[in-house]
């Protein structure tokens, strides 16, 4: 898709998020490995890829990504693509940072009931079923369409794509460029934004790490530590 | 743990084995750093662009092909040409000891061969980032003394 957009004259920045270790705080950021467009001499100046670790935040996208995206748009990049960490059903934090949400699914994600469950699917502005070359992709797309149409008048498009063979990529790329922001994420978007700001405030508390160690070592009760955090920085 | 350090682990040149690079990337991840792995067969220019775009402060080069004598100094030189002299460069793989002096002279700060412990690498990194003369821009000078 980056190839398509660049060939249409767009300059695209990609913020690729990978998880930080909850144990060591470190991260292995490997999203560049497969984005070989940065090696393409003719196109690389139109693409910027930056790997981002989630650091201490919960959810699939840290709040700082929103600020990074604004910064990139401000210095002249046309579009910013945020690639989240692999997201589960209930992972809706991306609504806090992104204007449009594209859910990428694959075939063989369980039975038809999966498509009926609540969660991220309800907030998607578009759904792409990748690996359409594999068995079950068409059926999964049909199930998703059926489920989405039950819920809304303006159900998001469900597109079949095979990144391996390149089928459907051009259609998906142009569809995303004209994608309207749906209204259904409105309230959820503000909710997630409030939650992530609150979380950031807790994480930025000067004593966060000290309190964490105190709980771990049994020097302080959980409730006392939480109360101190809530009181804010002295 | 303080702020994690951003480290690029790169495979310059034509060799196709990256088990070692992945083990190093994993060890540094477990030590609390953010490691960006480039994948195989990168050119010096591609590696430098990755270091720039990812705002990394350390660059680890892995080579098993014997081309280190050409590639490592070229990468150090290109970093300096692009005003990235603050980047700390270290290397590893199969690099005979006789080849070490010219690499240190080119600005490589440590060379780690088979048998190196991950603790030693982590210690090198902690030491190097505290020094003000470890960046590749300082050319020959300080380098890590291997314990093995």
């Amino acid at each position: 898709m980056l190839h398509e957009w660049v060939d249409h004259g767009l300059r695209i920045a990609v913020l690729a998020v990978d998880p930080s270790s909850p144990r060591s705080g470190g991260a292995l950021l490997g999203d560049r490995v497969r984005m070989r467009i940065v090696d393409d001499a003719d196109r690389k100046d139109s693409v910027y890829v930056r790997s981002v670790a989630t650091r201490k935040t919960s959810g699939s996208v840290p709040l700082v990504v929103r600020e990074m995206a604004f910064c990139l748009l401000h210095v002249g990049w046309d579009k910013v693509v945020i690639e989240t960490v692999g997201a589960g059903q209930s992972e809706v934090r991306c609504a806090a940072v992104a204007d449009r949400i594209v859910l990428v699914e694959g075939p063989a994600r369980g039975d038809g009931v999966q498509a009926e469950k609540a969660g991220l699917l309800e907030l998607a502005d578009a759904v792409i079923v990748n690996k359409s070359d594999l068995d079950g992709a068409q059926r999964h797309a049909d199930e998703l369409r059926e489920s989405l149409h039950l819920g809304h008048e303006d159900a998001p498009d469900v597109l079949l794509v095979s990144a391996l063979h390149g089928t459907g990529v051009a259609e998906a790329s142009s569809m995303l460029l004209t994608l309207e922001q749906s209204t259904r994420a409105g309230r959820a978007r503000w909710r997630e934004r409030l939650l992530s700001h609150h979380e950031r405030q807790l994480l930025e508390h000067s004593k966060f790490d000290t309190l964490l160690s105190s709980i771990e070592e049994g020097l302080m009760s959980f409730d006392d530590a939480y109360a101190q955090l809530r009181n804010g920085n002295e | 743990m303080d702020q994690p350090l951003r480290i690029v682990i790169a495979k310059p040149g034509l060799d196709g084995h990256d088990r070692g690079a992945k083990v190093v990337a994993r060890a540094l991840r477990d030590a609390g750093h953010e490691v960006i792995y480039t994948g195989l067969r990168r050119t010096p220019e591609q590696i430098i662009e990755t270091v720039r775009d990812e705002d990394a402060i350390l660059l680890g080069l892995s080579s098993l092909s014997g081309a280190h004598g050409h590639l490592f100094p070229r990468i150090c030189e290109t970093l300096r040409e692009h005003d990235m002299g603050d980047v700390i460069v270290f290397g590893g793989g199969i690099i005979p000891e006789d080849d070490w002096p010219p690499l240190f002279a080119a600005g490589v700060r440590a060379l780690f061969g088979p048998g190196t412990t991950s603790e030693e690498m982590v210690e090198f990194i902690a030491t190097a980032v505290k020094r003000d003369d470890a960046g590749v821009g300082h050319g020959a000078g300080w380098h890590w003394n291997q314990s093995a």
Side-chain angles (χ1 to χ4, degrees):
Chain A
M1 289 210 275
L2 289 173
H3 281 88
E4 290 283 333
W5 288 328
V6 167
D7 291 347
H8 278 87
L10 290 169
R11 297 179 75 239
I12 310 277
V14 182
L15 297 173
V17 186
D18 270 332
S20 293
S21 159
R23 293 165 62 120
S24 71
L28 186 53
L29 308 171
D31 285 322
R32 289 189 88 87
V33 177
R34 286 188 294 169
M35 295 195 208
R36 284 294 159 89
I37 190 170
V38 293
D39 299 341
D40 185 332
D42 297 327
R43 296 190 177 97
K44 68 177 183 188
D45 291 335
S46 300
V47 178
Y48 174 72
V49 179
R50 173 70 180 237
S51 314
V52 183
T54 54
R55 302 238 163 137
K56 292 166 184 167
T57 59
S58 64
S60 58
V61 191
L63 197 55
V64 67
V65 163
R66 187 173 164 77
E67 283 133 33
M68 292 170 88
F70 279 133
C71 187
L72 288 163
L73 291 170
H74 186 73
V75 297
W77 295 90
D78 295 316
K79 302 272 177 196
V80 179
V81 180
I82 301 164
E83 194 255 344
T84 72
V85 308
Q89 291 169 319
S90 65
E91 179 40 69
V92 292
R93 185 56 56 84
C94 53
V97 298
D99 296 324
R100 286 168 189 74
I101 299 168
V102 181
L103 178 64
V104 183
E105 284 265 328
R109 292 287 176 94
D111 59 24
V113 182
Q114 299 305 319
E116 306 293 340
K117 290 186 177 172
L120 180 56
L121 185 58
E122 295 173 277
L123 297 188
D125 298 301
V127 180
I128 292 175
V129 178
N130 189 22
K131 305 188 186 177
S132 65
D133 46 291
L134 297 180
D135 281 349
Q138 181 66 52
R139 202 186 76 189
H140 189 53
D142 291 343
E143 283 166 356
L144 288 167
R145 278 194 198 105
E146 199 176 314
S147 162
L148 289 163
H149 279 283
L150 270 179
H152 309 279
E153 289 293 309
D154 59 336
D157 284 337
V158 178
L159 293 175
L160 278 161
V161 162
S162 168
L164 183 65
H165 301 307
T167 38
V169 173
E171 291 83 350
S173 311
S174 62
M175 182 272 285
L176 292 186
L177 287 184
T178 55
L179 192 61
E180 293 289 326
Q181 186 176 342
S182 71
T183 49
R184 69 183 77 93
R187 190 180 171 85
R189 181 161 280 135
W190 289 115
R191 182 176 176 276
E192 291 302 318
R193 214 169 279 172
L194 280 174
L195 287 174
S196 36
H197 274 277
H198 179 67
E199 179 185 274
R200 172 146 82 178
Q201 215 178 351
L202 290 184
L203 286 168
E204 282 176 355
H205 193 287
S206 57
K207 283 193 189 149
F208 187 87
D209 286 323
T210 324
L211 290 170
L212 192 61
S213 308
S214 303
I215 305 173
E216 191 185 1
E217 288 157 23
L219 301 171
M220 189 183 257
S221 80
F222 176 86
D223 291 337
D224 287 348
Y226 183 56
Q228 275 212 33
L229 274 183
R230 282 185 46 136
N231 286 336
N233 284 310
E234 279 118 51
Chain B
M1 176 79 210
D2 305 327
Q3 198 82 328
L5 298 168
R6 291 177 69 86
I7 306 170
V8 168
I9 296 294
K11 287 288 304 179
L14 293 175
D15 89 73
H17 298 274
D18 62 355
R19 175 52 54 198
K22 284 177 180 161
V23 168
V24 169
R26 174 64 189 271
L28 298 179
R29 184 204 89 173
D30 289 341
H33 300 299
E34 291 178 0
V35 184
I36 297 112
Y37 177 52
T38 60
L40 292 167
R41 290 183 275 272
R42 311 280 81 196
T43 68
E45 287 71 24
Q46 287 165 348
I47 290 170
I48 279 139
E49 283 165 5
T50 300
V51 172
R52 179 198 64 200
D53 288 357
E54 297 286 357
D55 200 14
I57 187 64
L58 287 122
L59 169 61
L61 302 168
S62 160
S63 174
L64 308 169
S65 68
H68 49 265
H70 169 70
L71 290 167
F72 289 11
R74 170 112 177 268
I75 289 166
C76 293
E77 192 49 47
T78 318
L79 280 168
R80 285 189 285 264
E81 281 167 14
H82 286 78
D83 287 335
M84 297 197 281
D86 59 332
V87 174
I88 300 164
V89 181
F90 62 103
I94 302 299
I95 299 168
E97 265 183 61
D98 291 349
D99 295 350
W100 288 3
L103 297 180
F104 288 140
V108 177
R109 296 297 172 221
L111 290 162
F112 299 113
T116 307
T117 60
S118 46
E119 288 80 8
E120 185 178 349
M121 267 184 301
V122 171
E123 207 185 312
F124 155 72
I125 286 171
T127 310
V129 293
K130 281 196 206 102
R131 298 180 65 101
D132 53 14
D133 61 348
V136 70
H138 291 272
W142 174 77
H143 67 82
W144 180 256
N145 280 309
Q146 271 73 6
S147 58

